[in-house]
Amino acid sequence: GGVHRTYFSDKKGRGRMDASADLPELARTPMVVVSAGVKSILDIPATLEYLETLGVPVMAFGQTEFPAFFSPHSGVEAPCTVHSAQEVARAYWHSRNFLKLPSGMLVAVPNSDPAGAAVEDAIQTALRECASASEQATIATAGRDVTPFLLKRVAELTQGASLRSNMALVRNNARVGADIAVAISELQRQQQQKSPSLYPSTSIPSALETDTPSASITSSTPLSASTQSSVDSSSSNRSRVIVMGGAVVDLVARPDHTLVPATSNPGMCSESDGGVARNVAEVLGRLGSRPLLYSAVGCDSRGQALVRRLRDECEVLVTEDSVNLVEGARTATYVSILDDTAELHVAICDMAILNDIPLPTKEALAQADMLLLDANPPLSKLVETASMAVQAGVQVFFEPTSVPKARLVSQNKTFMSCLTYAFPNVDELVAMAAEANANDPTSVSTNSDETMTRSQHDHDPYRDLKLAAVSVLNQMRPNEAHLIVTMGSEGVLLASKYGTGDNIMSHFSHFPTRTNNVRVENSTGAGDSLCGAFVHALLEGEDVATAVQVGMDAAVLSLQCADRAISPEIGDW
């Protein structure tokens, strides 16, 4: 296709243009089109100009002159020249993945078949005859009528040579097109080794990609749970830290003034990606730890976009085994209402899909050093996963998520005994301690803090909190366990246990808040930021106290981020 030739203006003196529908379609379909150029029965300069207007990249393959379909020569300079299939592949890859251009591109391959020149001579003869016939008004002047006349006349003049030349150029185009496809596939493979996608076999944007809500996680063809492809099991999927739990869409509302119950309040509403495990994974990814996320999302636009952003923007590993796409299910949603100080007032969660979170594979656990769990998966899955991790020599971290879930999980001694680290807030710690004391009234040791004198203990403002921490620590891993207790504006309490039996020693460190001169915009991701940065610091070889300080610095950044739970500035450290 192209812009058809026009020999006369209309009655008002305006030029008339008839363009094939192929051209605007190429402007909105992301694909590489390989052709032998534009037939000289069409207006080649006008066609190239129209493609430029539409924003379609056009390049000639191996020469500077744009080919004329049957002939390698048209007398028109090509907008761009490429010399290899790899060069075309790189141009396409960058236009789609970096420039985010919606259009395809045209690669014009010259036809070197000997019959091509004779066919081109016949075309020029037919054009002259057409012009004469038009002047004598023996044919209509519209482009759509001119083209059939030219095609018929060329076939007559060449006595079938045009067909033979056409077959030769089709073979030539197929060869070049196949080379380009292989080159794009190789770029895809290289990209997967750097940051594997959820579905590697479809991670290159295809001609079926759309910007509609049905677009896939991989920016490619629509996905469904029944059409998931196999995942590359190469070493590029290895991660030292696995994160398992909720991937959630967060809807946050904050009033302009003090909340007034039972009526509407003016304020600001925002939507962002959330979920404790997803948030922690984002922090780890932005800091360069390349976590492997295990979660579940619905086959809806929100869920697929959530995972795509997590993978592409945050360097989080996702695989078919780790993120479950659930047909007909809603992606988990958390609606929070903040007060005018940005503290949580009330929240509602729709988390049914999190029952479908898959278990980490033994192969993944065997390669990991750390496993972080939030309390969103079913308790049976949490117990099984934590037990497998301990057997594999993996340290288990736990984020209680909410008071009810903290209470429920604390009732399970098997799960609690697998934990080396936990990140409760004050309310969650109290709930966990109550369950620990109910299960074992002797869980509070008289040696809860042998570094303090009796007088210091009696006047300690955090005395009750420390006693609660000891109760929980005694349920956790033997030899060593830690609680990182977030206390809002009062900072963080680090409670640590060392030793076993009668030789258990508890140690406490208080880290004051670092938000005195910080304008708090959103507190929903502060704890998750602390957790993720804490784990990252341990992976980097820091001690526990330093890891707490690193985590608090990350929390401060997210507290200042009004429109999302996790601050993107965490990745700028």
Side-chain angles (χ1 to χ4, degrees):
V3 176
H4 297 260
R5 290 175 179 265
T6 299
Y7 293 95
F8 297 100
S9 61
D10 62 14
K11 294 179 180 180
K12 295 184 179 181
R14 297 174 300 191
R16 304 182 65 180
M17 184 183 77
D18 179 27
S20 300
D22 302 6
L23 305 188
E25 184 61 37
L26 186 55
R28 56 178 176 259
T29 303
M31 63 189 302
V32 178
V33 173
V34 179
S35 80
V38 176
K39 292 186 180 74
S40 56
I41 62 172
L42 301 172
D43 191 330
I44 294 177
T47 299
L48 295 179
E49 199 168 318
Y50 188 39
L51 286 171
E52 180 184 9
T53 300
L54 294 174
V56 176
V58 177
M59 55 199 72
F61 195 85
Q63 64 181 41
T64 59
E65 186 178 4
F66 190 82
F69 206 78
F70 290 113
S71 170
H73 306 293
S74 67
V76 179
E77 185 178 0
C80 175
T81 300
V82 291
H83 298 281
S84 68
Q86 290 73 23
E87 195 173 349
V88 176
R90 287 193 296 270
Y92 176 70
W93 181 270
H94 280 80
S95 72
R96 296 297 300 136
N97 292 281
F98 295 98
L99 300 179
K100 307 297 183 183
L101 299 181
S103 64
M105 59 175 54
L106 175 63
V107 179
V109 181
N111 179 11
S112 57
D113 181 77
V119 174
E120 186 59 30
D121 289 342
I123 289 175
Q124 298 303 320
T125 299
L127 286 171
R128 290 190 293 270
E129 293 178 1
C130 181
S132 176
S134 297
E135 291 174 356
Q136 298 173 21
T138 57
I139 67 168
T141 59
R144 64 176 178 270
D145 296 319
V146 169
T147 300
F149 171 88
L150 292 173
L151 291 175
K152 179 181 179 182
R153 187 62 182 134
V154 167
E156 293 171 350
L157 291 171
T158 62
Q159 297 180 341
S162 60
L163 176 60
R164 291 190 296 273
S165 180
N166 207 345
M167 293 172 63
L169 67 86
V170 166
R171 287 192 292 268
N172 194 37
N173 290 348
R175 177 184 58 80
V176 174
D179 290 342
I180 294 171
V182 170
I184 293 176
S185 179
E186 176 62 19
L187 285 177
Q188 172 186 336
R189 186 189 64 80
Q190 294 173 5
Q191 180 66 18
Q192 288 167 7
Q193 290 180 341
K194 295 178 182 178
S195 179
S197 66
L198 186 56
Y199 301 106
S201 66
T202 56
S203 63
I204 295 295
S206 76
L208 298 179
E209 179 185 5
T210 68
D211 292 325
T212 63
S214 63
S216 74
I217 287 178
T218 58
S219 303
S220 183
T221 54
L223 301 173
S224 68
S226 62
T227 60
Q228 296 173 347
S229 61
S230 61
V231 172
D232 183 6
S233 60
S234 69
S235 60
S236 61
N237 280 345
R238 183 190 184 280
S239 177
R240 293 180 60 199
V241 56
I242 296 172
V243 182
M244 174 180 170
V248 180
V249 175
D250 275 341
L251 304 177
V252 179
R254 179 179 178 180
D256 292 335
H257 308 289
T258 303
L259 272 173
V260 179
T263 188
S264 60
N265 289 256
M268 180 187 71
C269 299
S270 63
E271 176 179 339
S272 64
D273 299 338
V276 171
R278 195 222 69 89
N279 287 349
V280 173
E282 176 178 347
V283 174
L284 286 163
R286 290 190 181 278
L287 291 174
S289 290
R290 297 183 76 244
L292 175 60
L293 176 66
Y294 279 79
S295 192
V297 297
C299 266
D300 51 30
S301 58
R302 278 178 167 168
Q304 296 184 36
L306 180 153
V307 177
R308 183 174 62 244
R309 286 188 292 269
L310 196 61
R311 179 203 64 197
D312 295 343
E313 299 175 14
C314 307
E315 299 290 329
V316 174
L317 302 179
V318 290
T319 71
E320 177 189 349
D321 291 331
S322 70
V323 175
N324 189 12
L325 279 172
V326 184
E327 285 280 6
R330 300 181 302 274
T331 294
T333 304
Y334 178 84
V335 182
S336 59
I337 308 296
L338 310 182
D339 61 23
D340 56 325
T341 66
E343 291 295 329
L344 181 63
H345 176 70
V346 69
I348 296 176
C349 53
D350 176 7
M351 305 288 179
I353 193 174
L354 301 184
N355 292 325
D356 295 310
I357 295 175
L359 297 178
T361 63
K362 292 182 178 179
E363 292 76 15
L365 287 171
Q367 296 176 336
D369 297 323
M370 301 176 182
L371 166 70
L372 187 138
L373 303 167
D374 73 18
N376 283 307
L379 180 57
S380 60
K381 289 189 176 182
L382 290 174
V383 174
E384 183 175 355
T385 303
S387 299
M388 287 194 302
V390 170
Q391 292 173 6
V394 177
Q395 288 187 321
V396 181
F397 297 65
F398 177 59
E399 221 296 346
T401 308
S402 69
V403 170
K405 292 178 179 178
R407 182 179 295 115
L408 175 65
V409 167
S410 297
Q411 296 172 3
N412 192 289
K413 290 186 176 182
T414 300
F415 179 77
M416 293 298 297
S417 68
C418 294
L419 303 182
T420 301
Y421 296 87
F423 299 83
N425 60 28
V426 172
D427 293 336
E428 291 162 350
L429 175 65
V430 171
M432 294 172 74
E435 293 300 327
N437 292 334
N439 292 334
D440 183 5
T442 66
S443 62
V444 178
S445 170
T446 57
N447 295 326
S448 60
D449 187 357
E450 295 185 358
T451 64
M452 298 178 62
T453 66
R454 173 64 63 181
S455 175
Q456 289 173 323
H457 201 288
D458 290 341
H459 293 88
D460 181 11
Y462 304 118
R463 176 179 181 274
D464 292 340
L465 204 58
K466 292 177 179 179
L467 291 174
V470 170
S471 297
V472 176
L473 285 169
N474 287 339
Q475 306 297 312
M476 296 169 64
R477 292 291 294 162
N479 300 319
E480 180 180 356
H482 305 273
L483 289 171
I484 299 87
V485 184
T486 54
M487 302 186 296
S489 61
E490 296 186 54
V492 172
L493 177 68
L494 171 62
S496 302
K497 175 191 74 171
Y498 302 94
T500 58
D502 295 333
N503 297 318
I504 295 178
M505 176 69 69
S506 300
H507 179 75
F508 302 94
S509 298
H510 177 238
F511 298 82
T513 182
R514 301 186 178 195
T515 60
N516 293 332
N517 299 317
V518 171
R519 178 181 174 84
V520 177
E521 298 288 348
N522 183 0
S523 62
T524 57
D528 301 335
S529 298
L530 185 152
C531 179
F534 177 94
V535 174
H536 171 75
L538 293 186
L539 287 168
E540 293 295 303
E542 301 291 352
D543 59 48
V544 177
T546 301
V548 171
Q549 294 171 337
V550 171
M552 294 180 72
D553 289 339
V556 169
L557 290 177
S558 291
L559 284 170
Q560 300 174 81
C561 187
D563 60 346
R564 56 197 302 173
I566 304 301
S567 171
E569 294 183 16
I570 288 176
D572 297 333
W573 283 4

